[in-house]
Every structure is written in structure tokens, then in C-alpha cells.
């Protein structure tokens, strides 16, 4: 096959550089994601006002962070970083506490990613909007039934239908302490034998229902081997040092070592119907 000419090679190189510049263009100097995160926290902290008598307050309970991400590839990575890596509500709450302002019990922080810059961006890559809304009567949220289907590895069942608020996952049904006493019972129990099963720790992970977010969260135990979620073609690591864990959704695959289960959810009445 004929070798490309020098001009052809130079053109290909320039096209690659232009593409690379296009990917990083939204994050020019001074607007890196970590710098945006710090600026968001400082912006929220600056909204604390003096209420007299030495008291301070944060007069909002709804904070919306708008981030400009016109490039699809950049946006995908940024959404994963903000939604799964950052914990803006807790960090903002920490800043308010440092300023001596009580944290609103119904404080909600959300992130919105825009393809085009609205006037509110004012030349920046982000802006923050604040609202004060009256609390609506709390609606009862029924916890869905959790259905875990074993994809890789061998467990006591292929499909687990679980209606409890907390589910333990690991190897063996019962984990004993050094004196032979039961320390933990696994609701999803992989068998002892098998090469794949051996990659699952005896106390590997737990899934808990959180009524405040109306969601299930998976948490890796500190001494467990690798725990991660496979979602929409990307992998999300679940750190054993993160005490809250990662929010899961229907269709997720939870990997524990080389074993995995698929997450399903359905309304409680379907179980009883």
C-alpha cells in the first residue's frame, strides 16, 4: 500500500490537534472542574446573611448549579464527576455550618448541564441560582421491591426478590467470628466453591434504602475486594471509604470481584398481585 505523503500526515495531525482542542475548550485556564467546584462552594457561602443578635442564616432551600458543557463527550464525563464524585449538598452544608448558619432541613442541591450558554452565565462556565420554596406536604413514597439477578458467579438463588430496607451481599450465607458466632448473614450469598465466587469477599457490600432520596444506595465494605457499578457503558467505582455509597438504579450491574448481579426494581403491589 502506498505510504501517505508528508502533507497528508501533517493534515491528519492538525485534524487530531483541532479535535483535542475542541474537547478541552470548555475547560480553559481558571475554569477546570475542581476550580468550578470551589467557586460554587464559595458562592453559596457568600449567601449567608446576618439576622441580628449575632445570628446568621442561609435564606434558601433550593440551590441549582448550572454548568455549561456543549461537548457531548466532555458532558458525559462531567456529569459522572458531579453526580457521583461530588457531594455538593453535604459540602455546602459544611460551609454554612462553618459560617454559623443553620442548614435548612429541606436543603436540596441539584446540577443542570446546558448545551448553550444562557445570559446568566455571563461569560463563565457555571452559575448558581437560589430559591426559597415552601415545603409541600410530604408524600408517602413506597419503597420498590429490589430484584437482584445473578449474572456471573453462583449463588444460592439465581434471582433474589428482596423487600427489606437493608440487603447484605457476600460469599457464604453466614459469616462467623473467631469464636464461631454468627457475625453477619448475607441476603445474597455466593457459594464457597468456584473461581469466580472466590473473588467475592465474605462481607462484600450492602444495599440500603434511603427514604430522603427515595433511592437504593450500594456501599462497599471496607475490607472487600473490588466493587463497582457498570451503567450505560461506563464503570463507577464504589469506594469502601465512602460511607454513603453510590445510588443505584434499575438496569445497573453491580460487580463484586468477578461476580455480578443485575439490579431490577418493581412496585410492591406487583409482588403481592
Amino acid at each position: 500500500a502506498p505510504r501517505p505523503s508528508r502533507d497528508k500526515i501533517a493534515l491528519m495531525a492538525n485534524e487530531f490537534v483541532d479535535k483535542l482542542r475542541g474537547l478541552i475548550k470548555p475547560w480553559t485556564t481558571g475554569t477546570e472542574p475542581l476550580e468550578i467546584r470551589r467557586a460554587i462552594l464559595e458562592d453559596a457561602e457568600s449567601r449567608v446573611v446576618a439576622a441580628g443578635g449575632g445570628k446568621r442564616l442561609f435564606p434558601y432551600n433550593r440551590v441549582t448549579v448550572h454548568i455549561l458543557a456543549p461537548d457531548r463527550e466532555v458532558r458525559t464525563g462531567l456529569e459522572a464527576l458531579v453526580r457521583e464524585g461530588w457531594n455538593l449538598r453535604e459540602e455546602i452544608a459544611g460551609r454554612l455550618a462553618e459560617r454559623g448558619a443553620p442548614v435548612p432541613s429541606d436543603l436540596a442541591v441539584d446540577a443542570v448541564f446546558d448545551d448553550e450558554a444562557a445570559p446568566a452565565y455571563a461569560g463563565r462556565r457555571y452559575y448558581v441560582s437560589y430559591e426559597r420554596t415552601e415545603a409541600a406536604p410530604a408524600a408517602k413514597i413506597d419503597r420498590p421491591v429490589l430484584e437482584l439477578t445473578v449474572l456471573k458467579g453462583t449463588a444460592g438463588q439465581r434471582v433474589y426478590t428482596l423487600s427489606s430496607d437493608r440487603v447484605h451481599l457476600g460469599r457464604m450465607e453466614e459469616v462467623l467470628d473467631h469464636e464461631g458466632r454468627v457475625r453477619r448473614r448475607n441476603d445474597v450469598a455466593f457459594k464457597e466453591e468456584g473461581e469466580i465466587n472466590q473473588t467475592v469477599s465474605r462481607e462484600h457490600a450492602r444495599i440500603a434504602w434511603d427514604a430522603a432520596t427515595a433511592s437504593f444506595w450500594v456501599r462497599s465494605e471496607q475490607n472487600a475486594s473490588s466493587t463497582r457499578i457498570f451503567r450505560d457503558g461506563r464503570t463507577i467505582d464504589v469506594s469502601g471509604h465512602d460511607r454513603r455509597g453510590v445510588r443505584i438504579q434499575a438496569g445497573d450491574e453491580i460487580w463484586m470481584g468477578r461476580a455480578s448481579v443485575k439490579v431490577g426494581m418493581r412496585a410492591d403491589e406487583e409482588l403481592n398481585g
Side-chain angles (χ1 to χ4, degrees):
R3 298 178 61 185
S5 65
R6 290 185 177 180
D7 290 342
K8 179 67 173 178
I9 293 173
L11 179 61
M12 293 168 63
N14 288 336
E15 289 176 349
F16 175 78
V17 171
D18 288 342
K19 182 178 180 181
L20 183 61
R21 285 173 178 164
L23 291 178
I24 66 174
K25 186 177 180 181
W27 312 117
T28 54
T29 302
T31 58
E32 293 293 334
L34 287 179
E35 294 176 335
I36 288 178
R37 173 171 161 266
R38 183 170 58 249
I40 290 168
L41 297 177
E42 291 175 352
D43 190 285
E45 186 178 355
S46 72
R47 302 289 173 146
V48 173
V49 298
K55 295 181 180 180
R56 300 184 177 208
L57 61 86
F58 184 71
Y60 310 100
N61 61 356
R62 295 292 181 273
V63 179
T64 304
V65 176
H66 300 258
I67 299 178
L68 181 61
D71 183 274
R72 184 175 181 180
E73 186 172 345
V74 171
R75 176 174 178 166
T76 299
L78 192 60
E79 282 191 21
L81 173 64
V82 174
R83 298 193 188 282
E84 306 295 347
W86 296 359
N87 193 338
L88 289 176
R89 187 194 182 284
E90 295 303 317
E91 291 181 294
I92 289 175
R95 290 294 187 99
L96 300 182
E98 290 176 4
R99 292 291 305 276
V103 179
S105 60
D106 57 345
L107 175 65
V109 180
D110 194 16
V112 174
F113 300 85
D114 294 326
D115 294 327
E116 298 181 359
Y121 278 100
R124 298 172 299 177
R125 299 298 179 182
Y126 77 96
Y127 75 92
V128 186
S129 60
Y130 301 87
E131 292 181 90
R132 179 71 195 177
T133 61
E134 294 300 324
K140 183 180 182 297
I141 300 176
D142 293 327
R143 175 181 47 71
V145 172
L146 188 64
E147 190 173 83
L148 300 178
T149 303
V150 177
L151 299 178
K152 298 286 186 180
T154 308
Q157 301 171 203
R158 180 178 175 273
V159 179
Y160 289 85
T161 301
L162 305 150
S163 56
S164 58
D165 287 343
R166 189 178 298 272
V167 175
H168 291 95
L169 302 92
R171 181 163 46 90
M172 299 179 63
E173 290 185 0
E174 293 185 344
V175 180
L176 308 179
D177 63 17
H178 64 283
E179 296 182 358
R181 296 172 300 191
V182 176
R183 185 171 71 183
R184 165 177 166 138
R185 287 189 171 90
N186 285 317
D187 303 287
V188 177
F190 285 84
K191 295 186 176 181
E192 186 72 7
E193 66 276 1
E195 185 178 346
I196 292 178
N197 297 340
Q198 287 295 316
T199 65
V200 180
S201 301
R202 293 184 178 180
E203 299 176 73
H204 200 112
R206 67 181 65 189
I207 297 174
W209 170 256
D210 178 49
T213 58
S215 304
F216 285 106
W217 295 70
V218 62
R219 190 181 108 191
S220 180
E221 307 293 5
Q222 286 193 337
N223 296 323
S225 57
S226 170
T227 306
R228 58 201 184 281
I229 294 172
F230 186 73
R231 175 188 301 161
D232 297 332
R234 61 188 178 91
T235 298
I236 304 169
D237 289 326
V238 183
S239 171
H241 300 291
D242 183 352
R243 306 315 297 164
R244 187 177 193 186
V246 176
R247 186 184 311 198
I248 59 174
Q249 58 191 43
D252 283 352
E253 294 178 14
I254 301 175
W255 285 77
M256 295 158 284
R258 291 167 54 196
S260 66
V261 297
K262 186 168 185 176
V263 176
M265 299 179 197
R266 49 198 174 97
D268 190 36
E269 55 265 23
E270 294 180 21
L271 182 66
N272 301 322

